[in-house]
Amino acid sequence: MPREGRNLGLLSAKTADKFLDMIIANAPILGLCTCPKVDLPIGTYPVVSMAQYKTRGFSNAHNASGGRQTVATLQNLNAADVSYNVKELVLPIVIPDSYAEDMGTTPEKIADMFAKIFAKDLSALILNGDVELEEEDEGNPTDREVMLKILDGMLKQMAAAGHTVTYGDDETTVAKKIIKLINGCPDDYLVNPASKIFISPTDMNLLWEEVTTTKPLIKERDGKLYFRGKYELMEVAGLPQNCILFGDMTGLLVPLSREVYLETQRYPEARGTKAVLSCRIDCAVHPYINMRMLVAEPEEPEAPAGGGQ
């Protein structure tokens, strides 16, 4: 990186990889999904664990005139690929001089600060992004609403693809909702050692209260918590309440482009320094993702007055 006082501009390949590593380290969800560093803005990326139904039969026909033959054609792994198209995200910040006195304005300090801020925003965007998000105050969007409308996140894509399990009025506790979710998943998910339960901090607190008054459902082992002693419980900040996930999150692809810009410029009018980060990312759920999401049953429409006549 250039020294203090000069624009950082386009980061070198080595520095860009280091910066992306800082983002991943500060966004725990990126350590759970498939988060490759890519050079192409548009392409496909193989998530091999998602491949399935590739095995075929084989015929050893010694008596046939054609000799030994196979009844299966060659299978490729295209079904394990998921397409991506990275979008440019921009994070502009003014660093006041008073703030810089405490943290310093070296490129390393600025990069560390940007990585932490960007990681928090990226975590929220990956989970809750919705390009059709309705604003609470139409025409006056909040900062959160503006950010979430950049792209569709995992929750919206999971719902659109039908990777869901519904719960109703009978599931009155978090434990019952988790059981309903697990029971609604294929056997492959249940026996997969990588399957976990992803839960919001709010639901986790409610679950703790439930297990103190009922038979223990949560077991502690090696510093981790397990539901029924089998499935690891993982708190994910930003998950909405009652939106619980079960399975393997590696089918979520979040590519980070190596084309990263980080520029600084003195801003005397504000007695500070302007700093702008430009980074490109995407979020894509694999069609064969081994995960299901718990959602509420849709409400039945009310019958019209007069018995529908």
Side-chain angles (χ1 to χ4, degrees):
M1 284 186 178
R3 296 185 178 278
E4 178 184 358
R6 295 178 58 191
N7 290 347
L8 305 185
L10 178 64
L11 301 187
S12 67
K14 182 177 180 180
T15 306
D17 275 359
K18 184 177 179 181
F19 180 75
L20 295 178
D21 285 338
M22 293 168 63
I23 294 175
I24 295 172
N26 284 282
I29 191 173
L30 296 183
L32 301 171
C33 62
T34 300
C35 187
K37 302 166 190 172
V38 298
D39 294 314
L40 299 176
I42 300 175
T44 59
Y45 191 84
V47 183
V48 179
S49 61
M50 299 298 105
Q52 58 182 351
Y53 308 131
K54 295 300 181 183
T55 304
R56 297 293 184 269
F58 184 82
S59 174
N60 192 2
H62 292 291
N63 299 325
S65 59
R68 187 174 181 178
Q69 300 176 14
T70 178
V71 298
T73 56
L74 292 175
Q75 301 295 304
N76 59 47
L77 286 177
N78 288 348
D81 294 345
V82 56
S83 300
Y84 68 85
N85 183 3
V86 294
K87 290 87 177 170
E88 184 173 10
L89 308 184
V90 179
L91 175 60
I93 292 177
V94 175
I95 307 173
D97 289 341
S98 57
Y99 187 72
E101 289 179 0
D102 298 327
M103 63 165 283
T105 55
T106 63
E108 291 76 13
K109 293 281 189 179
I110 293 175
D112 181 66
M113 177 188 68
F114 266 90
K116 291 178 178 177
I117 297 174
F118 188 66
K120 288 191 292 185
D121 288 351
L122 192 56
S123 296
L125 181 60
I126 291 170
L127 285 173
N128 301 303
D130 184 352
V131 297
E132 298 177 344
L133 181 69
E134 294 184 3
E135 302 168 2
E136 290 189 11
D137 183 7
E138 189 173 353
N140 295 293
T142 63
D143 288 342
R144 180 178 183 274
E145 291 170 342
V146 170
M147 184 194 70
L148 292 182
K149 294 175 77 170
I150 295 173
L151 53 78
D152 287 334
M154 178 182 67
L155 302 187
K156 183 176 181 181
Q157 292 186 44
M158 290 279 290
H163 300 312
T164 58
V165 175
T166 59
Y167 71 92
D169 296 335
D170 293 337
E171 286 73 46
T172 56
T173 65
V174 176
K176 289 182 178 180
K177 291 172 183 174
I178 293 177
I179 293 172
K180 181 67 179 292
L181 173 61
I182 294 175
N183 290 341
C185 291
D187 290 346
D188 290 351
Y189 299 11
L190 307 185
V191 299
N192 183 359
S195 290
K196 297 179 175 63
I197 298 171
F198 304 97
I199 188 171
S200 71
T202 301
D203 283 331
M204 189 65 184
N205 288 334
L206 293 173
L207 183 60
W208 269 115
E209 293 180 6
E210 294 170 11
V211 299
T212 58
T213 57
T214 60
K215 62 181 180 179
L217 290 172
I218 299 179
K219 304 290 185 181
E220 190 273 337
R221 186 168 70 246
D222 299 328
K224 298 179 180 179
L225 299 176
Y226 294 83
F227 188 79
R228 288 181 167 176
K230 184 176 182 181
Y231 302 114
E232 183 181 352
L233 285 157
M234 299 200 67
E235 289 184 86
V236 179
L239 269 181
Q241 186 176 359
N242 295 326
C243 181
I244 305 172
L245 300 160
F246 175 73
D248 178 6
M249 199 177 284
T250 56
L252 171 64
L253 180 70
V254 183
L256 299 176
S257 172
R258 287 190 174 92
E259 186 179 350
V260 180
Y261 290 84
L262 184 54
E263 302 178 84
T264 61
Q265 183 180 11
R266 178 66 186 162
Y267 190 20
E269 297 94 327
R271 295 183 179 274
T273 300
K274 290 190 292 185
V276 179
L277 168 68
S278 174
C279 187
R280 293 164 172 79
I281 70 104
D282 194 17
C283 174
V285 171
H286 196 283
Y288 297 154
I289 189 170
N290 297 323
M291 188 166 64
R292 291 291 183 269
M293 178 176 69
L294 189 70
V295 296
E297 288 182 346
E299 296 183 0
E300 295 183 1
E302 295 183 0
Q309 300 186 5

